[in-house]
Amino acid sequence: MNKVLYIASEAFPLIKTGGLADVAGSLPVALLKQSQDVRLLLPAYPEVLKNISRFKTVATHSYFNLPFSIIETRLPGSKVIVWLVDCPAVFDRPGGPYTDQHGEAWADNALRFAILCHAAVDIALDKLKLNWKADIVHCNDWQTGLIPALLSRHEKRPATVFTIHNLAYQGNFDYQTFVDLHLPDELWHMHGLEFYNQLSFIKGGLVYADKINAVSPNYAKEILLPEFGYGQNGLLKSRQQDLSGIVNGIDEKHWNPGTDDLIIEKFNRRTLSKKVNNKTALQEQLSLPDNASIAMVGMVGRLVQQKGLDIILQSLKQLVQLELQIIILGTGDLHYEIQLSEWAAKYPDKIKVVIGYSEQLAHRIEAASDIYLMPSTFEPCGLNQLYSLRYGTLPIVTAVGGLADTITDTNKESIANKTANGFMMTEPTTEKLVLTMTRALAFFKDSNTWHQLQDNAMRFDSSWTASADGYIQLYKQALAKINKADS
Ligand code: ADP
Ligand code: GLC
């Protein structure tokens, strides 16, 4: 049994902006089930504090003259112990984990996440006297990148694993920030934290972690290429021996159409005919024409370039000519929000756009839709296509990252061997999106084949069982690596 300190900047249901929260809220639960003594470390944002009921303070300390305490609680609905870094000077403010109410990055983000990293290091080494010492420190994305770098300077240290959820976000700051954070001088070089004269948080993970993984095998390969590597492809290549891909699982309790209290009508593979009631209910809720037989196309997500918004916007003119209704829920870049809302105003019977964040509506869209739209330009893993499969909603995806690993295009062969579970665009272009949508709609009209596709989708295994085991193997390898270095 390993003692695993799992650090993330968000975890569902305490705080969530995207898929990282889904993973950080479900992988630790799966690891605990496989007998890992896992502790989750998070910043105590106001929303997190609002979402916990029983808790106690287990340590107090300060970094940069800013006092903080460590609060102990449990991840709601599980037995996983959560430690929260309650440093009011940097975490107690309205707004999101990374940005203020206007979507601007917090000016002191480097300091905020450096505090999280220092706390992780001191907890892992039991310097905060929590009476627990980590064997494995598992870091996620740039916010936790300094941890492997700082730990590398300790002779007796736990093994470190760094998971890349999205290489596009790197946590780069100017040199002065490096000085202000009192980071050790010997970390400032191109084979350390320096990245084109900037301090790069993510390099702390990419350079110093014993093992690195991406959230799908395909993304682990893509990031070695300049198009997907965001300047880190060379470094990653040099670490190829320690780099692997492990596909994300989903929280099957929370995303289960058979038990989902957020949707109007529950259904499963055997009662699939009830799914349509979710469609008609959503049409009523969103004032779309009542039509049980029209194809509903759903999308939920961050409205950013990554999610294929340019391709979608350029396709809408042709998509509205087809027999379908489109529902999009999300927040993100203002120009996308405005353009999508303009399209919705122009075609009120065809397009509904809800700008905002709603867990309930996200579930209702998954349950109601026939087709899910995910033409991402890159996608490290993607969870929405996995939720769609679970809800018998067939995804249209680009052949990138985790989408290529989890979706099998519908064709003669994949229909025959019952692996077809969606539609793959061969290129991320407007033309291919329209073509693929037209192809999907033709299958939709053939209800026998469509039911078979839905059945294939709903049988797809997205559980954490195999992937949690993959992480435990990775922990083993990381431990073997440092033990070898010791002897
Ligand atoms: P990413 O992490 O890149 O945003 P994923 O597909 O991995 O993409 O995960 C996104 C998660 O965030 C999903 O659980 C999705 O339902 C959720 N999500 C994103 N935007 C919204 C929103 N506006 N309302 C509700 N849930 C959202
Ligand atoms: C990132 C990626 C997404 C992935 C999620 C969880 O936000 O963009 O593809 O599913 O992390 O790993």
Side-chain angles (χ1 to χ4, degrees):
M1 185 177 74
N2 294 308
K3 290 194 168 68
V4 183
L5 183 62
Y6 189 97
I7 310 105
S9 53
E10 50 181 279
F12 183 83
L14 296 173
I15 175 89
K16 166 168 165 179
T17 70
L20 170 62
D22 289 352
V23 174
S26 54
L27 172 56
V29 181
L31 289 169
L32 186 71
K33 269 198 202 124
Q34 299 199 21
S35 304
Q36 303 296 300
D37 175 10
V38 58
R39 312 287 163 113
L40 176 60
L41 183 70
L42 294 172
Y45 313 109
E47 198 171 324
V48 170
L49 295 174
K50 212 177 65 199
N51 285 331
I52 57 173
S53 43
R54 298 182 57 174
F55 58 90
K56 60 181 180 198
T57 299
V58 290
T60 53
H61 194 56
S62 75
Y63 303 126
F64 308 102
N65 286 323
L66 303 173
F68 69 91
S69 47
I70 300 292
I71 293 176
E72 182 174 303
T73 183
R74 302 261 169 169
L75 188 67
S78 83
K79 291 203 164 79
V80 172
I81 293 177
V82 179
W83 285 322
L84 303 171
V85 183
D86 187 19
C87 183
V90 294
F91 294 130
D92 182 15
R93 50 180 81 162
Y98 320 113
T99 57
D100 64 17
Q101 291 126 309
H102 311 290
E104 291 294 324
W106 295 113
D108 57 351
N109 266 344
L111 173 67
R112 299 172 72 234
F113 292 109
I115 288 174
L116 175 67
C117 292
H118 279 295
V121 169
D122 286 343
I123 289 174
L125 300 170
D126 202 21
K127 287 196 178 161
L128 293 185
K129 303 267 177 297
L130 300 186
N131 205 14
W132 184 93
K133 216 176 196 168
D135 303 312
I136 302 284
V137 174
H138 187 159
C139 308
N140 295 277
D141 273 357
W142 75 261
Q143 293 84 358
T144 61
L146 296 184
I147 300 166
L150 293 169
L151 277 172
S152 73
R153 308 174 70 246
H154 291 267
E155 223 165 85
K156 284 248 159 282
R157 66 168 177 89
T160 51
V161 169
F162 186 80
T163 299
I164 304 169
H165 296 263
N166 196 334
L167 197 59
Y169 303 98
Q170 304 196 348
N172 295 336
F173 302 92
D174 60 14
Y175 174 67
Q176 189 56 43
T177 307
F178 178 85
V179 176
D180 294 345
L181 292 179
H182 309 303
L183 287 165
D185 278 341
E186 67 261 27
L187 296 178
W188 185 261
H189 54 92
M190 66 178 285
H191 302 296
L193 297 180
E194 189 247 351
F195 182 62
Y196 296 103
N197 236 6
Q198 289 199 302
L199 158 65
S200 170
F201 267 56
I202 203 166
K203 275 191 79 182
L206 305 184
V207 172
Y208 295 97
D210 298 308
K211 289 282 169 188
I212 309 164
N213 81 293
V215 287
S216 69
N218 193 36
Y219 191 59
K221 284 190 210 136
E222 287 174 340
I223 53 181
L224 301 176
L225 306 169
E227 301 115 88
F228 296 101
Y230 288 87
Q232 307 292 4
N233 42 299
L235 164 58
L236 285 165
K237 233 178 177 159
S238 74
R239 296 235 40 207
Q240 220 171 331
Q241 270 204 326
D242 293 313
L243 171 66
S244 59
I246 301 177
V247 73
N248 288 331
I250 66 171
D251 177 345
E252 292 188 301
K253 263 205 292 196
H254 191 64
W255 291 97
N256 179 350
T259 54
D260 191 338
D261 287 327
L262 297 176
I263 65 177
I264 300 289
E265 173 101 45
K266 299 183 181 54
F267 61 95
N268 58 36
R269 264 174 57 218
R270 273 168 290 279
T271 58
L272 192 54
S273 57
K274 290 193 197 165
K275 177 175 161 75
V276 72
N277 297 335
N278 289 291
K279 175 156 65 178
T280 46
L282 196 59
Q283 285 168 335
E284 193 179 323
Q285 183 184 336
L286 298 177
S287 317
L288 278 165
D290 193 358
N291 182 347
S293 60
I294 198 164
M296 184 177 276
V297 179
M299 177 175 183
V300 179
R302 296 179 296 115
L303 303 177
V304 296
Q305 192 265 348
Q306 175 191 344
K307 301 295 173 184
L309 265 297
D310 296 306
I311 304 172
I312 293 172
L313 282 164
Q314 284 158 20
S315 310
L316 282 176
K317 200 170 156 196
Q318 292 173 69
L319 292 182
V320 292
Q321 305 303 325
L322 304 173
E323 220 182 311
L324 46 67
Q325 292 176 342
I326 300 176
I327 300 179
I328 299 179
L329 164 67
T331 57
D333 293 350
L334 193 59
H335 64 109
Y336 290 135
E337 293 183 355
I338 292 173
Q339 287 182 70
L340 285 173
S341 304
E342 283 171 357
W343 276 99
K346 207 162 154 196
Y347 294 96
D349 284 354
K350 287 252 157 166
I351 307 176
K352 245 329 125 217
V353 171
V354 181
I355 302 299
Y357 188 94
S358 164
E359 197 64 29
Q360 187 194 60
L361 189 54
H363 282 246
R364 289 191 175 179
I365 291 175
E366 288 290 6
S369 301
D370 301 293
I371 294 170
Y372 189 85
L373 194 54
M374 205 158 172
S376 307
T377 55
F378 68 96
E379 196 61 76
C381 177
L383 292 169
N384 275 117
Q385 86 280 17
L386 300 178
Y387 301 147
S388 299
L389 295 179
R390 205 74 191 74
Y391 285 69
T393 302
L394 302 180
I396 291 184
V397 301
T398 35
V400 294
L403 299 175
D405 279 334
T406 54
I407 302 304
T408 303
D409 186 45
T410 299
N411 54 40
K412 247 192 206 153
E413 194 192 333
S414 62
I415 291 176
N417 66 23
K418 300 198 169 148
T419 54
N421 63 4
F423 302 91
M424 186 85 75
M425 295 160 53
T426 44
E427 276 169 60
T429 61
T430 305
E431 193 200 342
K432 293 286 191 243
L433 176 53
V434 176
L435 274 175
T436 311
M437 182 67 78
T438 310
R439 188 159 64 91
L441 291 177
F443 279 109
F444 179 68
K445 286 237 175 288
D446 167 4
S447 58
N448 280 343
T449 309
W450 194 261
H451 279 153
Q452 181 61 58
L453 297 179
Q454 287 181 304
D455 194 66
N456 298 347
M458 293 177 87
R459 278 189 295 103
F460 187 83
D461 182 8
S462 294
S463 71
W464 267 113
T465 320
S467 296
D469 197 53
Y471 278 104
I472 294 170
Q473 297 310 319
L474 202 61
Y475 297 161
K476 254 193 210 150
Q477 293 165 13
L479 282 168
K481 201 173 154 192
I482 58 164
N483 289 337
K484 209 155 94 233
D486 271 0
S487 56

